[in-house]
Amino acid sequence: MNHTTKYSIEFRLQGNELDEESGYDLYYLSQNLHAFQQLIDKTYTTLKNDNNNKRENLRVKVHNIRSGSFLADIYIEVAMVMGSLLPIVTEVNAKTIWDTAKLSFEYLKAILNANRRGESLSTVVTESSNVNIVNANGDVIISVHPDVIRVANQNYPTFKKIASLINEKGEEFTKATFKPVNSEIENAIEIGVEEKVLLQNKSIIEEEPIRFKGKIFKADAEKLNGKMKVYGNSSIIEDGEYNFEFLDKSKIIMKDYFDVECEFLALKQTEFKPDTLNKYIKQLKIISVEKL
């Protein structure tokens, strides 16, 4: 049997373009409201294990709009499903939807911060069925239920979208804060400039160069970039096709190395993937090349 549950979230947007005196910039307001709706939708459908993304029992409504920076209460209303298939909760109700969304944000911050510190991450399942995210030293970065990880993987693009709207230099839109009504800031999902930098998850160029064999098979002679096949270097870099770019463009004539087996010295430009906890090579920055 179902019955409706409700949970109230204080929704606050801060910035010079989001106050009563200057008016509320419709772009920032609409984008953030849409992102919040997506956040709740994705959490709800993931918790229900609903691959069809059905949300007929869920409503997200704005109430009590107040002056100052854009400030309102948003009610999450859901027809509670008794006997959820998921072990993380015994029922999918409005509060568990919010709590899981908040946990997914904390999980993403923990793994992205660990990656920024240069730590390699892996998972260990505990006796309690939680998943520990550990670094190479075995230190536990965070421990969560597997369903929090599933929700985090679904919500990451939405958090990243909100972060992309934040102005790092200007003051138009500086912070979004979502927290249960009458709760402390520690219970909030808060996205400002610091979180923007973290959630952007920009690729990095690693300092240690690698030496490997390969062959260029697609190239732009003017930009000195393209695609190459790497092989026979399993201990250094996985065999496969990679994007590349020559760092010193003044000394290279592309046709001299096109479709010829060569030995390359390069730096890896890597990007961290939160859904796998792995880094992948986005591009190889070629320092030098010699024909074999």
Side-chain angles (χ1 to χ4, degrees):
M1 182 177 178
N2 297 346
H3 67 273
T4 299
T5 63
K6 181 186 292 187
Y7 199 63
S8 299
I9 303 298
E10 184 182 279
F11 178 99
R12 181 190 292 269
L13 303 179
Q14 295 172 256
N16 289 344
E17 296 297 325
L18 290 156
D19 62 48
E20 187 178 29
E21 184 175 345
S22 63
Y24 302 117
D25 187 289
L26 188 58
Y27 175 74
Y28 293 121
L29 181 57
S30 62
Q31 291 290 312
N32 277 281
L33 285 169
H34 179 65
F36 187 86
Q37 174 78 65
Q38 281 189 316
L39 175 66
I40 301 305
D41 280 355
K42 290 179 180 180
T43 302
Y44 173 67
T45 54
T46 304
L47 281 176
K48 280 189 65 185
N49 203 24
D50 186 352
N51 295 326
N52 295 319
N53 200 30
K54 294 180 180 177
R55 56 175 297 275
E56 65 268 17
N57 293 322
L58 177 69
R59 295 290 181 272
V60 181
K61 300 180 179 180
V62 179
H63 292 261
N64 193 22
I65 298 175
R66 304 188 284 286
S67 61
S69 55
F70 186 83
L71 179 61
D73 294 340
I74 294 185
Y75 293 168
I76 303 170
E77 298 179 2
V78 61
M80 186 172 66
V81 181
M82 304 298 293
S84 169
L85 295 177
L86 300 179
I88 188 174
V89 291
T90 57
E91 59 190 25
V92 179
N93 59 39
K95 185 177 186 302
T96 57
I97 291 170
W98 171 256
D99 289 344
T100 308
K102 173 67 165 62
L103 284 170
S104 76
F105 183 65
E106 295 304 319
Y107 168 81
L108 288 168
K109 286 202 302 180
I111 63 172
L112 290 171
N113 271 315
N115 172 65
R116 194 159 64 170
R117 295 191 297 267
E119 300 178 27
S120 298
L121 302 178
S122 59
T123 60
V124 176
V125 180
T126 68
E127 293 182 359
S128 64
S129 296
N130 270 10
V131 175
N132 288 346
I133 307 300
V134 299
N135 62 20
N137 296 324
D139 302 322
V140 177
I141 303 302
I142 191 170
S143 182
V144 293
H145 191 277
D147 292 326
V148 171
I149 298 176
R150 291 176 59 234
V151 170
N153 291 337
Q154 292 296 314
N155 283 340
Y156 176 56
T158 304
F159 289 129
K160 196 171 183 178
K161 171 62 178 177
I162 297 170
S164 72
L165 298 169
I166 298 290
N167 303 119
E168 293 181 75
K169 298 180 181 180
E171 299 293 329
E172 293 89 350
F173 171 47
T174 57
K175 185 179 291 186
T177 306
F178 317 134
K179 70 180 185 71
V181 171
N182 299 324
S183 73
E184 300 298 323
I185 195 63
E186 290 78 11
N187 299 318
I189 291 175
E190 190 170 53
I191 301 177
V193 173
E194 183 178 341
E195 291 77 19
K196 175 189 177 78
V197 173
L198 186 65
L199 289 163
Q200 279 179 329
N201 189 23
K202 290 184 177 180
S203 60
I204 61 170
I205 298 177
E206 300 188 0
E207 296 181 359
E208 192 69 29
I210 59 171
R211 195 177 296 275
F212 57 89
K213 290 186 294 185
K215 184 184 290 187
I216 294 171
F217 68 89
K218 183 179 180 180
D220 185 315
E222 293 185 2
K223 295 181 179 179
L224 293 178
N225 60 17
K227 292 187 76 72
M228 67 189 310
K229 181 171 286 187
V230 172
Y231 47 85
N233 310 279
S234 57
S235 62
I236 301 170
I237 181 174
E238 289 188 6
D239 292 354
E241 296 179 0
Y242 295 90
N243 296 317
F244 75 89
E245 177 186 35
F246 281 97
L247 289 177
D248 187 352
K249 295 179 170 53
S250 63
K251 300 179 180 180
I252 295 295
I253 299 175
M254 184 68 81
K255 67 178 182 179
D256 292 345
Y257 304 101
F258 185 78
D259 200 28
V260 177
E261 186 173 348
C262 299
E263 183 177 76
F264 297 88
L265 182 68
L267 298 172
K268 294 187 294 184
Q269 182 181 2
T270 58
E271 190 167 297
F272 178 69
K273 299 188 73 174
D275 57 338
T276 63
L277 301 181
N278 293 325
K279 293 180 182 178
Y280 79 97
I281 298 174
K282 186 175 182 179
Q283 190 177 58
L284 292 167
K285 302 287 189 178
I286 308 299
I287 300 170
S288 63
V289 56
E290 292 182 8
K291 294 180 184 179
L292 294 177

